[in-house]
Amino acid sequence: MSDTVKYVLAEDRIPKAWYNIAADLPQPPPPVLHPGTGQPVGPDDLAPLFPMALIGQEVSTEREIEIPGPVRDVYRLWRPTPLYRARGLERALETPAKIYYKYEGVSPAGSHKPNTSVAQAFYNKEEGTARLATETGAGQWGSALAFAGALFGLEIDVYMVRVSFEQKPYRKALMEAYGARCVASPSEETATGRAILAKDPTSTGSLGIAISEAVEVAAQNDDTKYSLGSVLNHVLLHQTVIGREAIEQMEIAGDYPDIVVGCTGGGSNFAGSVFPFLGRQLRDGQNVRIIAAEPAACPSLTRGRYAYDFGDTSHLTPLVKMHTLGSQFVPSGIHAGGLRYHGMSPMVSHLKELGLIEARAYRQGECFAAGVQFAKAEGIVPAPEPMHAVKAVIDEALVCKEEGVARTILFNLCGHGHFDMQAYTDYLAGTLVDEELADSVLAEGFAGLPPIAAQ
Amino acid sequence: MSDTVKYVLAEDRIPKAWYNIAADLPQPPPPVLHPGTGQPVGPDDLAPLFPMALIGQEVSTEREIEIPGPVRDVYRLWRPTPLYRARGLERALETPAKIYYKYEGVSPAGSHKPNTSVAQAFYNKEEGTARLATETGAGQWGSALAFAGALFGLEIDVYMVRVSFEQKPYRKALMEAYGARCVASPSEETATGRAILAKDPTSTGSLGIAISEAVEVAAQNDDTKYSLGSVLNHVLLHQTVIGREAIEQMEIAGDYPDIVVGCTGGGSNFAGSVFPFLGRQLRDGQNVRIIAAEPAACPSLTRGRYAYDFGDTSHLTPLVKMHTLGSQFVPSGIHAGGLRYHGMSPMVSHLKELGLIEARAYRQGECFAAGVQFAKAEGIVPAPEPMHAVKAVIDEALVCKEEGVARTILFNLCGHGHFDMQAYTDYLAGTLVDEELADSVLAEGFAGLPPIAAQ
């Protein structure tokens, strides 16, 4: 039987400001460098790619950044999102732990991604951008930006990694239903794409290549800007509505987390969930353990090198200091497409270096087992990405059981799995890749780091 | 730009009772008949298939039927659902009409179906049922019952129409993720299935065949009951939480609908949305136009015969008086799988005969055009079924524009389209079937009506 507990917030409790952790850091993260000069980049270097409002947010140290009214208006389509107590899962695990989860799958795109796509579309529209170019892997980000583009009247061009473009036509259909254009990458539309296709006409593409194509298009067209779905400070900032709402909801529950868990790919859903809690710790000493859960097939935080590296394959982006597997590293075809990025948000990497967060890597099979256990106990089918968080939560809850301690654990269920049923099909059929990386594979990736990485 | 208006209800406003329209009818619907005797069926006839609580609801004339606490507990996972003012669509249509929609796609199964699957699972568990057998077409109902079975600890066996089973493995994966068993129908597990396979080993199945298989399994196993996702009075009853919440939300909006629209297949989402409004009309004369929107490829309400007929292909069910295309009628493979039923809920049919509702049929192509227009304007991608309602709403809103009248229109967006992206792919590629039935096809269906249909 179910005894669901849902903590809802009234609509006027949608946060009025994003939380910027840069204001509370004990030391700032290393600067972003221009790849040509090796010097820190300035706003002018970024102006061809982003509107000034987002560049300002990228480098801001203001603690609170007001959310514009039209962005909050769109947030109201699905926000505030619910926070649940996972009583069914607690019972299934026979744990004394109290498990809570924030659920972002109620958004029209089915994930947390619209929290930033809507903001990015708004600021671009404000500054006269006609078109946004972006990349997408499995398609979550592309569809979230397509959704925002439809509402704000922007053209959206999505460069979708070719292997996903061919294997996952449904995300493309979703983007097109919203009126976006979705192109297989590498494409004939860019110099990057043409060069790669000239060398290898059958290239299946990669996220790094798709980023290069979108950046190139934005750099070369005055009316076009670039949009990224994770990694950058302003993207993480926009996601903090998740953690801010969660803090209020935990207050309603009369509880506060001992542990907060999120899955990490580029870092945005993780940051959005945990930064507001981390901010309290940094300001008020209200301590909380923070755990990042990542795939063993793409273990940037647990096995990557903390080094300056490019964000893309073709080296069109600035250099950022982050945990990286090397910009030429191509992870195996795990279903958690949103976590298949060679690097990590520089801000999340910095926090890891400061010892403020822990990280763990999990294999695909154990994540799916956790995801299915969650679905049966709680009734919500998670996407493959947040299954990593579910796995970490279950592990922690079992530690509580062993130790007989009733810790409070919170995690972000950042999306539903309704678009990922092929993954469930593969899992139930026992045909999942379940890879852990050999040192030699890692060494190959690190060999591709730029010389400046030695810094 | 967006100016979303969402009308939310506090969690304690989840209805405490379902609304039973039987209490307010000017005359009762014709009785359900035993196919052998031609006499009205009694509770004992139905006891092998349903728990007594549901049989009681099937024939009740009480206006209010209390929702059990454990059912409301599960409803709280996603209820109350939001009601939106469709400002974006109004603007796109340049209509003076005010358009509101209730959104049921926020449920864990993505549709309204869990409103009844949860109730049915609860009552069965209460009365000691170990297993539920059911049929499913495209899989929406099967996955909703699988979800409820997981939460209440019931085994769920789903007979899924073979053509869908093969074409739509994702719904099967969702059912299995919830722990249900999903079998292609016709199967070797039942006499019905074996007989059909003996005649035609390549049979692709039909909803009527799958119903026959599930009914047979329930009738022959003491620990197993049968569960149906639409058509029956108790199913419609459970869906009235939709309309009851909508009435409260319209009050918050300071408005009341002139027109309420729902799509119809078996009739349950339609009934759930409109019966509470119709009840007000019947009791208090608070008039509202009610429009049922159905597919031209399966036009039971607009072109069917109002006659006694079987609910299934193998004639294992009782005879019910309804608008029917004949139990041997097999609709073409339109994407709105939830609307591909040869008959109609007897209660909805009765209301049509009483002149209390109108019905319209739409072709697939025009429904998808309406659905895509809605997605771009409102940000939510509708399932193919509610696209029929969207089409009717747009037509009415354009009438308002022509006439310069600001009517208030409400409809139920009963599910999101995240599981239906193949349908969008086909539409965007221009490869949709867009059939209107020839009279000869209808005549063939009517020829299969039982002799008693002449009554």
Side-chain angles (χ1 to χ4, degrees), chain A residues 93-99 258-259 289 393-409:
Chain A
L93 298 171
E94 298 178 329
T95 176
K98 290 184 281 180
I99 303 174
D258 299 300
I259 303 170
R289 264 179 71 203
V393 166
I394 290 176
D395 280 1
E396 284 302 318
L398 293 176
V399 169
C400 289
K401 184 179 176 178
E402 269 176 40
E403 297 178 355
V405 183
R407 294 191 190 94
T408 297
I409 307 172

Side-chain angles (χ1 to χ4, degrees), chain A residues 1-8 11 70 73-80 82 84 101 103 106-110 122 125-126 147 150-153 167 169-179 372 375-381 416-419 421-422 424-425 428, chain B residues 1-8 11 70 73-80 82 84 101 103 106-110 122 125-126 147 150-153 167 169-179 372 375-381 416-419 421-422 424-425 428:
Chain A
M1 299 297 158
S2 170
D3 44 3
T4 306
V5 188
K6 180 170 70 169
Y7 300 96
V8 289
E11 196 175 278
D73 269 352
V74 180
Y75 280 175
R76 289 159 69 198
L77 261 174
W78 72 97
R79 305 208 72 85
Y84 296 101
Y101 61 101
Y103 182 44
V106 291
S107 88
F122 166 76
K125 186 73 182 179
E126 281 280 293
F147 156 78
L151 294 183
F152 285 98
Q167 285 175 355
Y170 293 172
R171 279 282 182 182
K172 170 174 175 277
L174 181 57
M175 292 177 231
E176 290 179 350
Y178 284 130
V372 167
K376 287 180 183 166
E378 293 293 316
I380 297 175
V381 169
H416 66 58
H418 293 181
F419 281 108
M421 295 319 295
Q422 185 59 50
Y424 277 89
T425 304
L428 295 164
Chain B
M1 300 297 158
S2 170
D3 45 2
T4 305
V5 187
K6 180 170 70 168
Y7 300 96
V8 289
E11 195 175 278
D73 271 351
V74 180
Y75 281 175
R76 289 159 69 198
L77 260 173
W78 72 96
R79 305 209 72 85
Y84 296 102
Y101 60 101
Y103 183 42
V106 291
S107 87
F122 167 77
K125 187 72 180 180
E126 281 280 293
F147 156 77
L151 295 183
F152 285 97
Q167 284 175 355
Y170 293 173
R171 280 281 181 182
K172 170 175 174 276
L174 181 57
M175 292 177 231
E176 290 180 350
Y178 284 131
V372 166
K376 287 180 183 166
E378 293 294 316
I380 297 176
V381 169
H416 66 57
H418 293 182
F419 281 108
M421 295 320 294
Q422 184 59 49
Y424 277 88
T425 304
L428 295 164

